[in-house]
Coordinates of all heavy atoms in Angstrom, one line a residue:
M1 N 138.4 108.4 78.1 CA 139.4 109.2 77.5 C 138.8 110.5 77.0 O 137.8 110.6 76.4 CB 140.1 108.5 76.3 CG 140.8 107.2 76.6 SD 141.6 106.6 75.2 CE 143.1 106.1 75.9
G2 N 139.6 111.6 77.2 CA 139.1 112.9 76.7 C 139.5 113.1 75.3 O 140.3 112.3 74.7
D3 N 139.0 114.2 74.7 CA 139.3 114.5 73.3 C 140.7 114.6 73.0 O 141.3 114.2 72.0 CB 138.5 115.7 72.8 CG 137.0 115.6 72.8 OD1 136.6 114.4 72.7 OD2 136.3 116.6 72.8
V4 N 141.5 115.3 73.9 CA 142.9 115.5 73.7 C 143.6 114.2 73.7 O 144.5 114.0 72.9 CB 143.5 116.4 74.8 CG1 145.0 116.5 74.7 CG2 142.8 117.8 74.7
Q5 N 143.2 113.3 74.6 CA 143.9 112.0 74.6 C 143.6 111.2 73.4 O 144.5 110.4 72.9 CB 143.4 111.2 75.8 CG 143.9 111.7 77.2 CD 143.3 111.0 78.3 OE1 142.1 110.7 78.3 NE2 144.1 110.7 79.3
L6 N 142.5 111.3 72.8 CA 142.1 110.6 71.6 C 142.8 111.1 70.3 O 142.8 110.5 69.3 CB 140.6 110.5 71.4 CG 139.9 109.6 72.4 CD1 138.4 109.7 72.2 CD2 140.3 108.2 72.2
A7 N 143.3 112.4 70.4 CA 143.9 113.0 69.2 C 145.2 112.2 68.8 O 145.5 112.2 67.6 CB 144.3 114.4 69.6
D8 N 145.8 111.5 69.7 CA 147.0 110.8 69.3 C 146.9 109.3 69.7 O 147.4 108.9 70.8 CB 148.3 111.4 70.0 CG 149.6 110.7 69.5 OD1 149.5 110.0 68.6 OD2 150.6 111.0 70.2
L9 N 146.1 108.6 69.0 CA 145.8 107.2 69.3 C 147.1 106.3 69.4 O 147.2 105.4 70.2 CB 144.9 106.6 68.3 CG 143.5 107.2 68.3 CD1 142.7 106.5 67.2 CD2 142.8 107.0 69.6
A10 N 148.1 106.6 68.6 CA 149.3 105.8 68.6 C 150.1 105.9 69.9 O 150.9 105.1 70.3 CB 150.2 106.3 67.5
A11 N 149.8 107.0 70.7 CA 150.5 107.2 72.0 C 149.9 106.3 73.1 O 150.4 106.3 74.2 CB 150.4 108.6 72.4
H12 N 148.8 105.6 72.8 CA 148.2 104.8 73.8 C 148.3 103.3 73.6 O 148.2 102.8 72.4 CB 146.7 105.1 73.9 CG 146.4 106.5 74.2 ND1 146.5 107.1 75.4 CD2 146.1 107.6 73.4 CE1 146.3 108.4 75.4 NE2 146.0 108.7 74.2
P13 N 148.5 102.5 74.6 CA 148.6 101.0 74.4 C 147.3 100.5 73.9 O 146.2 101.0 74.2 CB 148.8 100.5 75.9 CG 149.3 101.7 76.7 CD 148.7 102.9 76.0
T14 N 147.4 99.5 73.1 CA 146.2 98.8 72.5 C 145.2 98.4 73.6 O 144.0 98.6 73.4 CB 146.6 97.6 71.7 OG1 147.5 98.0 70.7 CG2 145.4 96.9 71.1
A15 N 145.6 97.9 74.7 CA 144.7 97.5 75.8 C 143.9 98.7 76.3 O 142.7 98.5 76.6 CB 145.5 96.9 76.9
D16 N 144.5 99.9 76.4 CA 143.8 101.1 76.9 C 142.7 101.5 75.8 O 141.6 101.8 76.2 CB 144.7 102.2 77.1 CG 145.6 102.1 78.3 OD1 145.4 101.1 79.1 OD2 146.5 102.9 78.5
L17 N 143.1 101.4 74.6 CA 142.1 101.7 73.5 C 140.9 100.7 73.5 O 139.8 101.1 73.3 CB 142.8 101.8 72.2 CG 143.8 102.9 72.0 CD1 144.6 102.8 70.7 CD2 143.2 104.3 72.2
L18 N 141.3 99.5 73.6 CA 140.2 98.4 73.6 C 139.3 98.6 74.8 O 138.1 98.5 74.7 CB 140.8 97.0 73.6 CG 141.5 96.6 72.3 CD1 142.2 95.3 72.5 CD2 140.5 96.6 71.2
A19 N 139.8 99.0 76.0 CA 139.0 99.3 77.2 C 138.1 100.5 76.9 O 136.9 100.4 77.3 CB 139.9 99.5 78.4
A20 N 138.6 101.5 76.3 CA 137.8 102.6 75.9 C 136.7 102.3 75.0 O 135.5 102.7 75.2 CB 138.7 103.8 75.3
V21 N 137.0 101.4 74.0 CA 135.9 101.0 73.1 C 134.9 100.2 73.8 O 133.7 100.4 73.6 CB 136.5 100.1 72.0 CG1 135.5 99.4 71.2 CG2 137.4 101.0 71.0
E22 N 135.3 99.4 74.8 CA 134.3 98.6 75.6 C 133.4 99.6 76.4 O 132.2 99.4 76.5 CB 135.0 97.6 76.5 CG 135.5 96.4 75.8 CD 134.4 95.6 75.2 OE1 133.4 95.4 75.9 OE2 134.6 95.1 74.1
R23 N 134.0 100.6 77.0 CA 133.2 101.6 77.8 C 132.2 102.3 76.8 O 131.1 102.5 77.2 CB 134.1 102.6 78.5 CG 134.9 101.9 79.7 CD 135.5 103.0 80.5 NE 136.4 103.9 79.8 CZ 137.7 103.6 79.6 NH1 138.3 102.5 80.0 NH2 138.4 104.5 78.9
L24 N 132.7 102.7 75.6 CA 131.8 103.3 74.7 C 130.7 102.4 74.3 O 129.5 102.9 74.1 CB 132.6 103.8 73.5 CG 133.5 105.0 73.7 CD1 134.4 105.2 72.5 CD2 132.7 106.3 74.0
D25 N 131.0 101.2 74.0 CA 129.9 100.2 73.6 C 128.9 100.1 74.7 O 127.7 100.1 74.5 CB 130.6 98.8 73.4 CG 130.8 98.5 72.0 OD1 130.5 99.3 71.1 OD2 131.4 97.4 71.7
E26 N 129.3 99.9 76.0 CA 128.4 99.8 77.1 C 127.5 101.1 77.2 O 126.3 101.0 77.4 CB 129.1 99.6 78.4 CG 128.3 99.5 79.6 CD 127.2 98.4 79.5 OE1 127.5 97.3 78.9 OE2 126.1 98.5 80.1
H27 N 128.2 102.2 77.1 CA 127.4 103.5 77.1 C 126.4 103.5 76.0 O 125.2 103.9 76.2 CB 128.4 104.7 77.1 CG 127.7 106.0 77.2 ND1 127.1 106.4 78.3 CD2 127.5 107.0 76.3 CE1 126.6 107.6 78.1 NE2 126.8 108.0 76.9
Q28 N 126.8 103.1 74.8 CA 125.8 103.1 73.7 C 124.7 102.2 73.9 O 123.5 102.6 73.6 CB 126.6 102.7 72.4 CG 125.8 102.9 71.1 CD 124.8 101.7 70.9 OE1 125.1 100.5 71.2 NE2 123.7 101.9 70.2
R29 N 124.9 101.0 74.5 CA 123.8 100.1 74.8 C 122.9 100.7 75.8 O 121.6 100.6 75.7 CB 124.4 98.8 75.3 CG 124.9 97.9 74.2 CD 125.2 96.5 74.6 NE 126.3 96.4 75.6 CZ 127.6 96.4 75.4 NH1 128.0 96.4 74.1 NH2 128.5 96.4 76.3
E30 N 123.4 101.4 76.8 CA 122.6 102.0 77.9 C 121.7 103.1 77.3 O 120.5 103.2 77.6 CB 123.5 102.5 79.0 CG 122.8 103.2 80.1 CD 123.7 103.7 81.2 OE1 124.7 103.0 81.5 OE2 123.5 104.8 81.7
V31 N 122.4 104.0 76.5 CA 121.6 105.1 75.9 C 120.5 104.5 75.0 O 119.4 105.0 75.0 CB 122.6 106.0 75.1 CG1 121.8 107.0 74.3 CG2 123.4 106.8 76.1
S32 N 120.8 103.5 74.2 CA 119.9 102.9 73.3 C 118.7 102.3 74.1 O 117.5 102.5 73.7 CB 120.5 101.8 72.5 OG 119.6 101.2 71.6
G33 N 119.0 101.6 75.2 CA 117.9 101.1 76.0 C 117.0 102.1 76.6 O 115.8 102.0 76.6
R34 N 117.6 103.2 77.0 CA 116.8 104.3 77.5 C 115.9 105.0 76.4 O 114.8 105.3 76.7 CB 117.7 105.4 78.2 CG 118.3 105.0 79.5 CD 119.2 106.1 80.0 NE 119.8 105.7 81.2 CZ 120.6 106.5 81.9 NH1 120.9 107.7 81.5 NH2 121.1 106.1 83.1
R35 N 116.5 105.1 75.3 CA 115.8 105.7 74.1 C 114.6 104.8 73.8 O 113.5 105.3 73.5 CB 116.7 105.9 72.9 CG 116.0 106.5 71.7 CD 116.8 106.3 70.4 NE 117.0 104.9 70.1 CZ 116.1 104.0 69.6 NH1 114.9 104.4 69.4 NH2 116.4 102.8 69.4
Q36 N 114.8 103.5 73.8 CA 113.7 102.6 73.4 C 112.6 102.6 74.5 O 111.4 102.6 74.1 CB 114.3 101.1 73.3 CG 115.1 100.9 72.1 CD 115.8 99.6 72.1 OE1 115.6 98.8 73.0 NE2 116.6 99.3 71.0
A37 N 113.0 102.7 75.7 CA 112.0 102.8 76.8 C 111.2 104.1 76.7 O 110.0 104.2 76.8 CB 112.6 102.7 78.2
L38 N 111.9 105.2 76.4 CA 111.2 106.5 76.2 C 110.3 106.4 75.0 O 109.2 106.9 75.1 CB 112.3 107.6 76.0 CG 111.7 109.0 75.7 CD1 110.9 109.5 76.9 CD2 112.9 110.0 75.4
Q39 N 110.7 105.8 73.9 CA 109.9 105.7 72.7 C 108.6 104.9 73.0 O 107.5 105.2 72.6 CB 110.6 105.1 71.5 CG 109.9 105.2 70.2 CD 109.6 106.6 69.8 OE1 110.5 107.4 69.8 NE2 108.3 106.9 69.6
R40 N 108.8 103.8 73.8 CA 107.6 103.0 74.2 C 106.6 103.8 75.0 O 105.4 103.7 74.8 CB 108.1 101.7 74.9 CG 108.6 100.6 74.1 CD 108.7 99.3 74.9 NE 109.7 99.4 76.0 CZ 111.0 99.2 75.9 NH1 111.5 98.9 74.7 NH2 111.7 99.4 77.0
T41 N 107.2 104.6 75.9 CA 106.3 105.5 76.7 C 105.6 106.5 75.9 O 104.3 106.7 76.0 CB 107.1 106.2 77.8 OG1 107.7 105.2 78.7 CG2 106.2 107.1 78.6
A42 N 106.3 107.1 74.9 CA 105.6 108.1 74.0 C 104.6 107.4 73.2 O 103.5 107.9 73.0 CB 106.7 108.7 73.1
D43 N 104.9 106.2 72.7 CA 103.9 105.4 71.9 C 102.7 105.1 72.7 O 101.5 105.2 72.3 CB 104.5 104.1 71.3 CG 105.5 104.4 70.2 OD1 105.6 105.5 69.7 OD2 106.3 103.5 69.9
D44 N 102.9 104.7 74.0 CA 101.8 104.3 74.9 C 100.9 105.6 75.1 O 99.7 105.5 75.2 CB 102.3 103.8 76.2 CG 102.9 102.4 76.1 OD1 102.7 101.7 75.0 OD2 103.6 102.0 77.0
C45 N 101.5 106.7 75.3 CA 100.8 107.9 75.6 C 99.9 108.3 74.3 O 98.8 108.7 74.4 CB 101.7 109.1 75.9 SG 102.4 109.0 77.6
G46 N 100.6 108.2 73.2 CA 99.8 108.5 71.9 C 98.6 107.6 71.8 O 97.6 108.0 71.3
A47 N 98.8 106.3 72.1 CA 97.8 105.3 71.9 C 96.6 105.6 72.9 O 95.4 105.5 72.6 CB 98.3 103.9 72.2
E48 N 97.0 106.0 74.1 CA 96.0 106.4 75.1 C 95.2 107.6 74.7 O 94.0 107.7 74.9 CB 96.6 106.6 76.5 CG 95.7 107.0 77.6 CD 94.6 106.0 77.9 OE1 94.7 104.8 77.5 OE2 93.6 106.3 78.6
I49 N 95.9 108.6 74.2 CA 95.2 109.8 73.7 C 94.2 109.5 72.6 O 93.1 109.9 72.6 CB 96.2 110.9 73.3 CG1 96.9 111.4 74.5 CG2 95.5 112.0 72.5 CD1 98.1 112.3 74.2
T50 N 94.7 108.7 71.7 CA 93.9 108.2 70.5 C 92.6 107.5 71.1 O 91.5 107.7 70.6 CB 94.7 107.3 69.6 OG1 95.8 108.1 69.1 CG2 93.8 106.8 68.4
R51 N 92.8 106.6 72.0 CA 91.7 105.8 72.6 C 90.7 106.7 73.2 O 89.5 106.6 73.0 CB 92.2 104.8 73.6 CG 91.1 103.9 74.2 CD 91.5 103.2 75.5 NE 91.8 104.1 76.6 CZ 90.8 104.7 77.3 NH1 89.5 104.5 77.0 NH2 91.1 105.5 78.3
R52 N 91.2 107.7 74.0 CA 90.3 108.6 74.7 C 89.4 109.4 73.7 O 88.2 109.6 73.9 CB 91.0 109.6 75.6 CG 91.6 108.9 76.8 CD 92.3 109.8 77.7 NE 93.0 109.1 78.8 CZ 93.5 109.6 79.8 NH1 93.5 111.0 80.0 NH2 94.0 108.9 80.8
Y53 N 90.0 109.9 72.6 CA 89.2 110.6 71.6 C 88.3 109.7 70.9 O 87.1 110.0 70.6 CB 90.1 111.3 70.6 CG 90.7 112.6 71.1 CD1 92.0 112.7 71.6 CD2 89.8 113.7 71.2 CE1 92.5 113.9 72.1 CE2 90.3 114.9 71.8 CZ 91.6 115.0 72.2 OH 92.1 116.2 72.7
R54 N 88.8 108.5 70.5 CA 87.9 107.5 69.8 C 86.7 107.1 70.6 O 85.6 107.0 70.1 CB 88.8 106.3 69.4 CG 88.0 105.3 68.6 CD 88.9 104.1 68.2 NE 89.5 103.4 69.3 CZ 90.9 103.4 69.5 NH1 91.7 103.9 68.5 NH2 91.4 102.8 70.5
E55 N 86.9 106.9 71.9 CA 85.8 106.4 72.8 C 85.0 107.6 73.4 O 84.1 107.3 74.2 CB 86.4 105.5 73.9 CG 87.0 104.2 73.3 CD 87.6 103.3 74.3 OE1 87.4 103.6 75.5 OE2 88.2 102.3 73.9
G56 N 85.3 108.8 73.0 CA 84.5 109.9 73.5 C 84.9 110.4 74.9 O 84.2 111.3 75.4
E57 N 85.9 109.9 75.5 CA 86.3 110.4 76.8 C 87.0 111.8 76.7 O 87.0 112.5 77.7 CB 87.3 109.4 77.4 CG 86.7 108.1 77.9 CD 87.8 107.2 78.5 OE1 88.7 107.7 79.1 OE2 87.6 106.0 78.3
A58 N 87.5 112.1 75.6 CA 88.1 113.5 75.4 C 87.5 114.0 74.1 O 87.2 113.3 73.2 CB 89.6 113.3 75.3
R59 N 87.4 115.4 74.1 CA 86.9 116.0 72.9 C 87.7 117.3 72.6 O 88.2 118.0 73.5 CB 85.4 116.5 73.1 CG 84.5 115.3 73.3 CD 83.1 115.7 73.6 NE 82.9 117.1 74.1 CZ 82.1 118.0 73.6 NH1 81.3 117.7 72.6 NH2 82.0 119.2 74.1
V60 N 88.0 117.5 71.3 CA 88.7 118.7 70.9 C 88.0 120.0 71.4 O 88.7 120.9 71.9 CB 88.9 118.7 69.4 CG1 89.5 120.0 68.9 CG2 89.7 117.6 68.9
D61 N 86.7 120.0 71.3 CA 85.9 121.2 71.8 C 86.2 121.5 73.2 O 86.3 122.7 73.6 CB 84.4 120.9 71.6 CG 84.0 120.9 70.2 OD1 84.8 121.3 69.3 OD2 82.9 120.3 69.9
D62 N 86.4 120.5 74.1 CA 86.8 120.7 75.5 C 88.1 121.5 75.6 O 88.3 122.3 76.5 CB 86.8 119.4 76.3 CG 85.4 118.8 76.4 OD1 84.4 119.5 76.2 OD2 85.4 117.6 76.6
L63 N 89.0 121.1 74.8 CA 90.3 121.8 74.8 C 90.2 123.2 74.4 O 90.8 124.1 75.0 CB 91.3 121.1 73.9 CG 91.8 119.7 74.3 CD1 92.7 119.1 73.2 CD2 92.6 119.7 75.6
L64 N 89.4 123.5 73.4 CA 89.3 124.8 72.8 C 88.5 125.7 73.8 O 88.8 126.9 73.8 CB 88.7 124.8 71.4 CG 89.5 124.0 70.4 CD1 88.7 123.9 69.1 CD2 90.8 124.7 70.2
S65 N 87.6 125.2 74.5 CA 86.7 126.0 75.3 C 87.5 126.5 76.6 O 87.0 127.4 77.3 CB 85.5 125.2 75.7 OG 85.8 124.1 76.5
E66 N 88.6 125.8 76.9 CA 89.3 126.2 78.2 C 90.2 127.5 77.9 O 90.7 128.0 78.9 CB 90.2 125.1 78.6 CG 89.4 123.9 79.1 CD 90.3 122.8 79.6 OE1 91.5 123.0 79.7 OE2 89.8 121.7 79.8
R67 N 90.3 128.0 76.8 CA 91.1 129.1 76.5 C 90.3 130.4 76.7 O 89.4 130.8 76.6 CB 91.7 129.1 75.1 CG 92.7 128.0 75.0 CD 93.3 127.9 73.7 NE 94.3 126.8 73.7 CZ 95.1 126.6 72.7 NH1 95.1 127.3 71.7 NH2 96.0 125.6 72.8

């Protein structure tokens, strides 16, 4: 449903509104799942960067010398 359609909820049958709520719920679950996957990837990247510095595979000096 578009914004204009939602402006007058009383003009819509209950079944249509419930279907819209279901679609919104499904969309929210999908977006939430994608956000969680993205956050896990970001966490994994951060952990890998930390490991590389801790184990000496990467050094801040190397980053600064490339400029």
Side-chain angles (χ1 to χ4, degrees):
M1 296 186 138
D3 290 342
V4 173
Q5 291 175 316
L6 288 175
D8 186 11
L9 294 177
H12 300 284
T14 300
D16 289 354
L17 295 173
L18 291 173
V21 167
E22 284 297 319
R23 288 191 306 272
L24 287 171
D25 263 355
E26 178 59 33
H27 182 68
Q28 187 276 332
R29 284 190 296 274
E30 183 180 316
V31 169
S32 180
R34 288 180 180 180
R35 182 198 57 78
Q36 289 173 1
L38 176 63
Q39 189 61 54
R40 279 191 301 273
T41 299
D43 290 346
D44 290 347
C45 288
E48 178 64 13
I49 290 168
T50 300
R51 183 197 66 76
R52 288 181 185 192
Y53 279 105
R54 183 179 52 245
E55 294 180 8
E57 290 179 31
R59 298 177 337 130
V60 174
D61 292 341
D62 294 339
L63 291 174
L64 298 175
S65 65
E66 291 181 11
R67 291 183 179 187

